[in-house]
């Protein structure tokens, strides 16, 4: 891996190759194209506009290329997608955006993240030194101690900007754009359609190796070693990992299941057809974990009644939160489990042994600065007496604890998991028509969080889904409260009543017949009118 700088833009390549203009053109064109789409979009398609601007950027812009301006962290496609979707929301959903009350409620987990960042920088100003010689990434021997820089006050600004654009903006866009039943349909339909666009490329790459990113942008987004599986390959498409693609396909299958349950159509096809297509694509993508999550989610979505699905999501969320202390205090003997697994599948057992061993040594390192972590620059990693890096960081939870401490772990995972608990409390007040969407999003968030225990965060979509979940939970509840009861409402503007409601003509009670010469009284017991 090496770095090339061209006009303030930094591009990272997995292999040496000449500079290519295509990724820069894609990033630069994405900005005016997004703004133009937002300006010309009709108001009734506001949510659809925000969705497509965000997801087209995340799913199709080039990986490993960033705009590196002074004083701010490099802006990758995720930051570009967040900024453009934020601008689009201001143009087409201005009322929702300005009335979103940011940094309140569940958003306080991001405030906790920002406060933790300040603590991380202030407690990691020291310079660290390891060993007497070491090897750089190119394999060259460096005959001097490995020196790891400390953080400065300028890093507070850089880290704050990066976390705001990569974590909070996707979360906020999900919370602002998706609030109604129509919004929920837009979300699920859109994700399934993007996955169907991805499907042919995934099947091709599973056979011939990841090539599409190279064909389109001129370079590969990942090395070949990490995607080989047996006689096939993990599809990568326009992502930096096969895990990112597999996770998205799992989310798309879950969304297709929702549409199939509601007997909806996607591009004129019954939703069950796209669901089966995407399941086959996922099965051929050589990712057992994502396929397992799919096999867990689909029955829950189809058979869920009452609060079953959201309760299952809560249980999974609790397990995710319990995992770090269980591993930290060695409450479960994982190595005994590995010995048992070795007799069944030695390869899987070896893989788990590597993961658990590295979690142990990384947590031992993290314990030295457990509250705010070690910060960046590789300070959270483990080095031997020669200065050689001897650890592997796979799980997002141990990366967060090591770099940002317990505060950082709670802040980042809170944006994904807290919406599940909020939704569980509101579940009985969410109308039945919208419950299936909320249930599916809750299961998606919970299983993605489970996946972040053994794997890294390869995409920012988990924060988006967390925001969409809490936005729909609150919005659907509010929508139900504002809907008039049958027989007691008035006709909405434009005429007609909502489905299932009828007009009731209330007649005045009949009065007894009056005798000759008598008059109708008005509150006067004498029966005579006012004088």
């Amino acid at each position: 891996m090496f770095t090339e700088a061209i006009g303030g833009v930094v591009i990272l390549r997995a292999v040496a190759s000449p500079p290519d203009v295509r990724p820069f053109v894609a990033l630069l064109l994405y900005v005016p194209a997004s703004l133009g789409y937002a300006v010309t979009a009709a108001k009734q398609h506001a949510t659809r506009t925000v969705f497509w601007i965000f997801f087209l950027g995340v799913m199709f812009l080039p990986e490993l290329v960033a705009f590196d301006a002074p004083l701010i962290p490099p802006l990758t496609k995720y930051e570009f997608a967040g900024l453009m979707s934020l601008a689009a929301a201001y143009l087409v959903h201005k009322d929702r955006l300005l009335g979103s009350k940011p940094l309140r409620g569940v958003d306080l987990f991001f405030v906790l993240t920002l406060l933790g960042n300040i603590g991380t920088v202030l407690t990691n100003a020291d310079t660290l030194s390891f060993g007497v010689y070491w090897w750089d990434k190119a394999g060259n021997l460096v005959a001097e101690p490995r020196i790891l820089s400390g953080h400065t006050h300028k890093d507070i600004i850089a880290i704050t900007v990066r976390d705001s654009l990569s974590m909070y903006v996707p979360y906020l866009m999900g919370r602002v754009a998706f609030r109604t039943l129509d919004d929920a349909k837009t979300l699920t339909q859109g994700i399934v359609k993007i996955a169907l666009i991805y499907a042919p490329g995934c099947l091709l790459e599973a056979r011939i190796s990841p090539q599409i990113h190279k064909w389109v942008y001129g370079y590969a987004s990942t090395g070949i070693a990490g995607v080989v599986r047996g006689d096939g390959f993990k599809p990568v498409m326009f992502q930096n990992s096969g895990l990112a693609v597999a996770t998205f396909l799992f989310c798309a299958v879950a969304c297709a299941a929702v549409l199939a349950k509601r007997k909806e159509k996607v591009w004129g096809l019954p939703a069950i057809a796209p669901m089966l297509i995407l399941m086959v694509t996922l099965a051929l993508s050589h990712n057992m974990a994502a396929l397992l999550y799919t096999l867990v989610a689909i029955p829950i979505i189809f058979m869920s009644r009452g609060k079953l699905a959201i309760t299952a999501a809560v249980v999974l969320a609790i397990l995710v939160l319990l995992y770090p202390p269980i591993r930290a205090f060695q409450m479960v003997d994982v190595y005994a489990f590995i010995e048992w697994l070795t007799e069944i599948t030695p390869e899987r057992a070896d893989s788990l042994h590597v993961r658990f061993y590295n979690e142990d040594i990384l947590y031992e390192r993290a314990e030295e600065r457990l509250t705010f972590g070690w910060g960046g620059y590789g300070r959270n990693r483990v080095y031997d007496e020669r200065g050689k890096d001897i650890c592997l960081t796979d799980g997002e939870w141990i990366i967060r604890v090591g770099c940002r401490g317990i505060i950082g772990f709670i802040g980042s995972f809170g944006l994904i998991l807290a919406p599940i608990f909020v939704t569980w409390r509101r579940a009985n007040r969410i109308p039945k028509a919208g419950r299936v969407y909320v249930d599916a999003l809750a299961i998606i968030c919970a299983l993605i969080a489970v996946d972040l225990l053994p794997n890294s965060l390869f995409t920012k979509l988990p924060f988006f889904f967390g925001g969409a979940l809490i936005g729909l939970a609150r919005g659907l509840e509010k929508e139900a409260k504002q809907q008039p009861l049958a027989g007691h409402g008035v006709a909405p503007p434009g005429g007609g009543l909502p489905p299932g409601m009828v007009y009731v003509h209330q007649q005045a009670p009949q009065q007894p017949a009056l005798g000759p010469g008598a008059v109708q009284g008005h509150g006067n017991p004498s029966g005579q009118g006012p004088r």
Side-chain angles (χ1 to χ4, degrees), residues 30 34-35 38 49-50 53-54 79-94 97-98 100 164-165 168-170 172-173 176:
Y30 173 69
S34 300
L35 294 177
T49 301
V50 175
I53 287 176
F54 180 77
E79 286 75 30
F80 270 89
L83 285 171
M84 290 303 99
S85 61
L86 185 62
Y90 181 79
L91 292 172
V92 300
H93 263 327
K94 186 176 181 179
L97 184 63
L98 297 181
S100 62
S164 297
L165 294 178
Y168 188 64
V169 169
L172 184 63
M173 287 303 95
V176 167

Side-chain angles (χ1 to χ4, degrees), residues 176-473:
V176 167
F178 301 95
R179 295 185 180 179
T180 68
L181 187 59
D182 287 338
D183 296 339
K185 293 178 182 178
T186 297
L187 176 63
T188 49
Q189 287 266 357
I191 289 175
V192 173
K193 289 175 181 178
I194 291 176
L196 289 174
I197 296 172
Y198 253 50
C202 289
L203 294 174
L204 178 64
E205 289 194 343
R207 182 62 181 169
I208 69 170
S209 81
Q211 296 293 328
I212 293 178
H213 193 284
K214 185 175 182 179
W215 293 342
V216 175
Y217 294 116
Y219 65 98
S221 62
T222 187
I224 193 67
V227 297
V228 177
R229 287 295 182 274
D231 58 350
F233 305 89
K234 287 186 175 183
V236 175
M237 294 294 289
F238 300 101
Q239 306 300 308
N240 64 354
S241 168
L243 289 172
V245 174
T247 301
F248 179 74
L249 289 176
F250 147 66
C251 297
V253 174
C255 290
V258 171
L259 297 174
K261 184 175 182 178
R262 288 182 53 83
K263 296 180 172 57
E264 301 277 353
K265 291 187 176 182
V266 180
W267 281 332
L269 296 173
I272 191 69
M275 188 190 82
L276 295 175
I277 292 171
L278 295 177
M279 284 191 70
V280 171
T281 304
L282 178 57
L284 296 175
S285 296
H286 303 282
N287 192 297
M288 291 299 298
L291 184 60
L292 177 61
Y293 302 150
T294 302
L295 296 177
V296 170
I298 296 303
I300 294 177
I301 292 172
F302 274 109
M303 298 187 297
S304 177
R305 296 291 184 274
K307 296 178 69 173
L308 173 63
I310 188 63
T311 301
V314 167
V315 171
L316 290 172
I318 292 173
L319 292 176
V320 171
L321 295 175
L322 290 177
Y323 183 83
I326 288 174
R327 293 290 292 118
F329 297 107
Q330 302 291 326
M331 297 181 186
V332 176
D333 188 356
V334 295
Y335 295 102
F337 170 72
I338 291 174
E339 290 180 4
W340 171 80
L341 188 63
T342 302
E343 300 177 0
I344 303 174
T345 168
E347 291 183 1
R348 294 289 180 184
D350 289 342
S351 176
L352 278 178
H353 184 274
V354 171
R355 289 178 183 271
F356 287 139
Y357 171 75
N358 281 279
E359 281 185 359
D360 288 340
I361 62 175
L362 285 165
Y363 185 80
E364 184 178 352
R365 170 73 173 165
E367 277 188 312
E368 299 178 31
R369 298 187 182 180
L370 192 56
T371 303
F372 297 113
W374 285 96
Y377 308 126
R379 297 164 60 92
N380 66 307
R381 303 183 68 83
V382 180
Y383 304 91
D384 64 12
E385 64 279 359
R386 299 173 298 172
K388 182 181 179 181
D389 187 343
I390 59 171
C391 65
L392 297 173
T393 49
D394 284 323
E396 182 66 20
W397 82 270
I398 193 62
I399 295 173
R400 283 283 167 178
V401 171
C403 294
R404 306 290 185 88
I406 294 296
I407 300 298
F409 169 80
I410 295 173
S412 60
F413 275 72
L415 289 177
I416 304 171
L417 296 177
I420 297 175
F421 294 98
V422 173
T423 303
W424 182 80
R425 291 183 58 189
R426 297 170 179 264
N428 291 331
R429 301 191 293 272
I430 297 174
K432 185 178 180 180
R435 181 77 67 82
V436 63
Y437 295 100
V438 171
D439 287 347
L441 273 177
I443 290 295
I444 287 173
C445 288
L447 288 173
I448 286 178
V450 170
D451 190 64
L452 292 179
L453 297 178
N455 297 311
S456 299
L457 182 67
F458 292 104
T459 176
K460 311 305 178 185
L461 292 182
F463 302 113
F464 174 87
F465 287 127
L469 173 58
I470 196 166
L472 284 174

Side-chain angles (χ1 to χ4, degrees), residues 10-194:
V10 173
I11 181 168
L12 303 178
R13 301 286 179 82
V15 294
S17 59
D20 198 303
V21 71
R22 284 175 285 179
F24 309 116
V25 171
L27 278 180
L28 293 177
L29 289 181
Y30 173 69
V31 175
S34 300
L35 294 177
Y37 179 36
V39 169
T40 58
K43 284 293 183 181
Q44 62 266 32
H45 300 316
T47 296
R48 188 185 307 172
T49 301
V50 175
F51 172 88
W52 282 104
I53 287 176
F54 180 77
F55 270 86
L56 287 177
V58 169
M59 301 305 297
F60 295 98
L61 284 179
E63 280 284 351
L64 306 180
V65 58
F67 181 79
D68 192 10
L71 299 179
I72 63 173
L75 302 180
T76 68
K77 70 176 186 179
Y78 298 103
E79 286 75 30
F80 270 89
L83 285 171
M84 290 303 99
S85 61
L86 185 62
Y90 181 79
L91 292 172
V92 300
H93 263 327
K94 186 176 181 179
D95 53 339
R96 286 192 187 183
L97 184 63
L98 297 181
S100 62
K101 299 179 181 179
L103 304 180
R104 300 183 187 180
V106 174
D107 297 30
L108 289 175
F109 281 101
F110 183 69
V111 176
L112 181 65
T113 298
L114 297 182
L115 295 176
N117 292 343
I118 297 174
T120 298
V121 170
L122 296 181
T123 57
N124 285 279
D126 54 324
T127 300
L128 303 180
S129 175
F130 298 93
V132 294
Y133 61 89
W134 54 287
W135 287 267
D136 62 17
K137 292 183 178 180
N140 301 317
L141 178 65
V142 180
E144 60 184 31
R146 181 190 289 268
I147 304 297
L148 302 180
S149 302
H151 284 284
T152 66
H153 290 81
K154 293 181 180 179
D155 289 330
I156 296 177
I157 299 175
I159 296 174
T160 298
V161 171
R162 182 176 61 197
D163 284 352
S164 297
L165 294 178
S166 63
M167 291 174 54
Y168 188 64
V169 169
Y171 167 86
L172 184 63
M173 287 303 95
R175 185 165 69 79
V176 167
F178 301 95
R179 295 185 180 179
T180 68
L181 187 59
D182 287 338
D183 296 339
K185 293 178 182 178
T186 297
L187 176 63
T188 49
Q189 287 266 357
I191 289 175
V192 173
K193 289 175 181 178
I194 291 176

